[in-house]
Amino acid sequence: MHEHKLLEQAKSFFMSLQDNITQQLSKLDGGEFEQDQWIREEGGGGRSRVLKDGNVFEQAGVNFSHVFGANMPASATAHRPELEGRSFNACGVSLVIHPRNPHIPTTHANVRFFIAEKEGAEPVWWFGGGFDLTPYYPIEEDVVHWHQTAFDLCAPFGDDIYPKYKKWCDEYFYLKHREETRGVGGLFFDDLNEWGFEKSFEFTKAVGNGFIDAYQPLVEKRKDTPVTEHQRQFQLYRRGRYVEFNLVWDRGTLFGLQTGGRTESILMSMPPLARWEYQYSPEAGSLEALLYERYLQPQNYLNL
């Protein structure tokens, strides 16, 4: 069937992307990823790769999964009610990296492909994904490099693509209960199919491959920056926001849990350590205050 050829193409790219990213991260860290192959009772499975307690990364997880089933889960039909009652195939790569050094930002990236099918109806397919950056001690040139990489990979697909998907990222990764962004954003797209399969797939590949170009230089530049205990404590406090977002707002976490995905793989996005503090507020004029004052609201980093 034609749609299964599309699925195979997407799967094959996602598996090689997982290989490429884990190789690059291993090189940066000097440590090795451990792999778990898992099978989902209702259909499908995946490969979870996690590097724990590394030299540079306190924890880095890069998941590939392909799950399928007879009924679309509620999290996927909430904004697409017309897909209720369809069977589905979903595959993709999802990663979260929690570095040791507070001067290296935490990051997340994800690329995915969906097909929803029903007897006697045209299959509906789409791509989604993106990447975002969560610095603790942001440095302007790092944030500009991150967004410039995003801008450059979007450019061949149209002038409106970067501003559109940057805005979507700012809106999606927003902690409403804190009135702040999760970090400095990046790109976020979903339901992409209006370009046809080939071009939509090309864009998804560009996002997947662009992630390591955006992130690697930041790790190399900041991994040897000296760290104080005060900075470590602030990093752990801000990691708490990451947990809040993933458990309260994130559609991917919900989708995984609602489809009976592997809980360990879904929650590998959590930092190994985090802390909360009642009514914390940063000292005036400090680097910590700079994060709040300058970086935690959506803004135009490229002066477009």
Side-chain angles (χ1 to χ4, degrees), residues 1-9 115 117 122-123 125 197-198:
M1 271 174 89
H2 169 61
E3 50 271 16
H4 291 157
K5 215 165 82 184
L6 304 186
L7 184 69
E8 287 313 312
Q9 278 179 276
I115 291 188
E117 296 175 273
E122 275 289 293
W125 59 263
F197 182 80
E198 287 311 319

Side-chain angles (χ1 to χ4, degrees), residues 131 144-159 161-163 166 186-187 202-203 206-207 209-211 213-214 302 304:
F131 48 62
V144 169
H145 162 79
W146 177 261
H147 278 276
Q148 190 63 52
T149 308
F151 178 89
D152 293 346
L153 75 86
C154 289
F157 297 88
D159 294 344
I161 298 305
Y162 169 79
K166 179 214 178 282
L187 299 172
E202 280 311 307
F203 180 71
V207 171
N209 293 326
F211 163 74
D213 300 334
L302 299 180
L304 296 176

